[in-house]
Amino acid sequence: MLGIKTYPVNAEIYLNNELQKGTSPLYLNDLAPNTYSVRVAMQGYFPWTKNLEVRSRASTLAYDITLFKQSKPQLLADGHINAYAFDRTGAHLAVVRNAQTIEIFSAEGEKQDTLYTAPGKNLQQVNISWSANDSYILVENLALPSASFVIPTDKKRPLQTTAGLAGALLLHPRLDNSDNETLYGIAGGQLIKISLRSLDINILQKTIQSFEMTPLGVIALNQTTEGIEVLRFTNRLILRPAEKLSTLPQGTYTILPGSIQGIIAITNTTTNKILLLDTKDTSRPFVELNAKNGTFGNGAKNEVFFAAGEDEVNVFDFTKGQSTLLGRYGKAPSAALPIYNTPYYLLYIDGELRITELDDRDKRNTITIVSDPSISNISIDGLSKKIFYTSSAGLFALEIQ
């Protein structure tokens, strides 16, 4: 039996170039054992093709075929885009343009407001993010940390520098992704928590090396004489002692955002390896991957970890507990992002945005959706309906589902 399910449904199915009766989902029970060339097609979408073997008294299933739209990029904002970020709802977009202005756009590209204009063009290298209640936007100045600031979306309230809030230079500022009005950062080597409402400051941990916000809480790395302690702060509203998860050898580490099944990822920047730690069972040894960058998958059909090395991308499957090579390239991909709740991922390599599937039967389907060597700052919306990116011409959106 050959079973084929697609999203969207009602796609045409071809076996050995012969159109089958009916559309997807389709179940073919009378096929002779053989290898069949399968093609799934729908008008306005990229086709899917694969050679699948049908065996006697066995089922061959292709249940997670996603067809992606053939669409043209939509220009949302022209000019030089330094950074952008969506609010929690995905309805609004904050854009840093021409290193000077912070503007608010709708998700459709309609400009709604100019939130801030810098005195000089000092916003060349910045990251921006929204608070959980969309009341604040954090602007982290990567070139000049003392110039980082928090700006309320209500223009009646004043802008505040992160250094002013902390009373000292604040490194690695992060807005809490679950508490509405809390800012974290490292000041004087200490991890501190600042209430943007009351301006109260609390010291969470001394001798900190780095930290990151994750779905499991605040994960921090604490420098000790014995090594680097991995700590977790799980209750952010009521201060409690940190939970020690593990101890790493001496070295320089950073924590990657995200988590799947209680797993966190820590990069050893000295050895260019990524360590995966199971926070639910810290007695288990680290999983060590040869990679400089990595990204957690997203959704039940994408519960994997994408690890990008110098010239290849591997995927670690948490259910199987094993790593698989996805592709080897002439140089390191500059982006490898999961497509929500599908067994597909987005890759930017050699000036092309490509979508590739995880299914390695026969060969992995790969489609090129955009060719532009100037693309950077790539992101995908929460449900992976659209891809966003900047190029030399501005900020673009591309509908894929």
Side-chain angles (χ1 to χ4, degrees):
M1 189 272 283
L2 176 62
I4 297 175
K5 291 183 179 180
T6 69
Y7 178 84
V9 297
N10 297 323
E12 294 179 335
I13 311 296
Y14 294 80
L15 258 62
N16 296 338
N17 293 321
E18 182 179 339
L19 178 62
Q20 302 299 296
K21 294 181 180 179
T23 58
S24 63
L26 188 64
Y27 304 92
L28 303 172
N29 298 301
D30 55 353
L31 295 178
N34 206 340
T35 296
Y36 293 85
S37 172
V38 181
R39 183 163 67 93
V40 180
M42 178 178 284
Q43 186 174 2
Y45 291 79
F46 290 96
W48 180 94
T49 60
K50 191 178 288 286
N51 293 320
L52 294 176
E53 182 182 5
V54 175
R55 298 178 180 179
S56 177
R57 298 181 181 180
S59 297
T60 299
L61 307 177
Y63 275 4
D64 293 315
I65 300 171
T66 300
L67 299 179
F68 295 96
K69 287 185 176 180
Q70 295 178 336
S71 60
K72 294 182 178 181
Q74 174 195 0
L75 179 65
L76 298 182
D78 60 6
H80 181 70
I81 308 300
N82 303 90
Y84 67 93
F86 280 92
D87 67 1
R88 177 180 53 82
T89 65
H92 301 93
L93 183 67
V95 177
V96 180
R97 183 154 53 167
N98 298 324
Q100 190 168 27
T101 60
I102 300 177
E103 300 165 321
I104 305 297
F105 287 80
S106 70
E108 290 73 35
E110 178 184 354
K111 182 178 175 181
Q112 298 180 334
D113 197 5
T114 297
L115 198 60
Y116 174 73
T117 300
K121 293 190 174 184
N122 64 346
L123 302 179
Q124 290 93 344
Q125 300 179 48
V126 295
N127 285 332
I128 60 174
S129 58
W130 294 70
S131 64
N133 64 352
D134 299 332
S135 295
Y136 295 91
I137 294 174
L138 169 64
V139 181
E140 180 187 10
N141 195 312
L142 304 176
L144 188 62
S146 61
S148 299
F149 57 89
V150 176
I151 183 168
T153 53
D154 180 356
K155 295 171 68 174
K156 297 178 182 179
R157 301 169 66 184
L159 173 151
Q160 300 181 83
T161 66
T162 57
L165 288 166
L169 178 65
L170 190 70
L171 302 176
H172 198 69
R174 292 291 184 270
L175 288 168
D176 195 324
N177 51 20
S178 65
D179 183 23
N180 288 337
E181 299 181 353
T182 304
L183 178 69
Y184 292 82
I186 300 174
Q190 300 177 330
L191 176 61
I192 66 171
K193 169 185 173 181
I194 306 170
S195 168
L196 296 176
R197 182 177 301 175
S198 66
L199 304 184
D200 290 339
I201 301 174
N202 290 288
I203 298 174
L204 298 185
Q205 189 68 42
K206 298 181 179 179
T207 62
I208 206 73
Q209 186 181 99
S210 65
F211 80 98
E212 194 54 75
M213 314 302 299
T214 78
L216 304 178
V218 181
I219 304 296
L221 301 178
N222 182 40
Q223 183 85 49
T224 70
T225 55
E226 290 77 25
I228 309 298
E229 294 179 336
V230 183
L231 307 176
R232 173 169 58 179
F233 299 87
T234 53
N235 194 320
R236 305 172 191 174
L237 301 181
I238 303 173
L239 295 182
R240 293 180 178 175
E243 175 190 1
K244 181 179 174 180
L245 300 175
S246 186
T247 300
L248 304 173
Q250 296 291 357
T252 303
Y253 301 88
T254 58
I255 303 161
L256 295 176
S259 173
I260 286 180
Q261 299 180 13
I263 308 290
I264 60 172
I266 302 170
T267 302
N268 186 327
T269 57
T270 304
T271 62
N272 288 330
K273 293 183 182 295
I274 292 178
L275 306 175
L276 301 179
L277 172 64
D278 187 348
T279 64
K280 296 185 295 185
D281 183 3
T282 55
S283 64
R284 295 177 61 184
F286 286 96
V287 173
E288 188 174 85
L289 305 175
N290 291 314
K292 301 174 82 173
N293 299 300
T295 307
F296 283 98
N298 192 1
K301 296 179 181 179
N302 205 316
E303 290 196 332
V304 296
F305 184 81
F306 298 93
E310 289 289 347
D311 58 358
E312 65 184 34
V313 176
N314 290 272
V315 60
F316 184 84
D317 189 314
F318 296 104
T319 302
K320 298 178 181 178
Q322 65 183 33
S323 183
T324 303
L325 176 69
L326 287 182
R328 185 168 284 114
Y329 310 93
K331 61 180 181 179
S334 57
L337 302 174
I339 297 179
Y340 173 74
N341 205 32
T342 71
Y344 293 81
Y345 68 102
L346 177 70
L347 186 73
Y348 184 59
I349 184 79
D350 294 331
E352 294 182 343
L353 272 176
R354 306 172 187 170
I355 294 177
T356 300
E357 66 178 348
L358 297 180
D359 184 356
D360 62 355
R361 290 178 295 180
D362 183 31
K363 59 182 178 62
R364 290 188 171 92
N365 278 271
T366 298
I367 57 175
T368 298
I369 55 175
V370 176
S371 296
D372 185 341
S374 69
I375 287 177
S376 61
N377 299 328
I378 303 164
S379 66
I380 308 177
D381 70 7
L383 295 178
S384 293
K385 301 297 184 184
K386 292 182 179 181
I387 294 170
F388 299 86
Y389 63 88
T390 61
S391 74
S392 56
L395 173 63
F396 290 85
L398 180 66
E399 188 175 9
I400 60 171
Q401 292 192 71

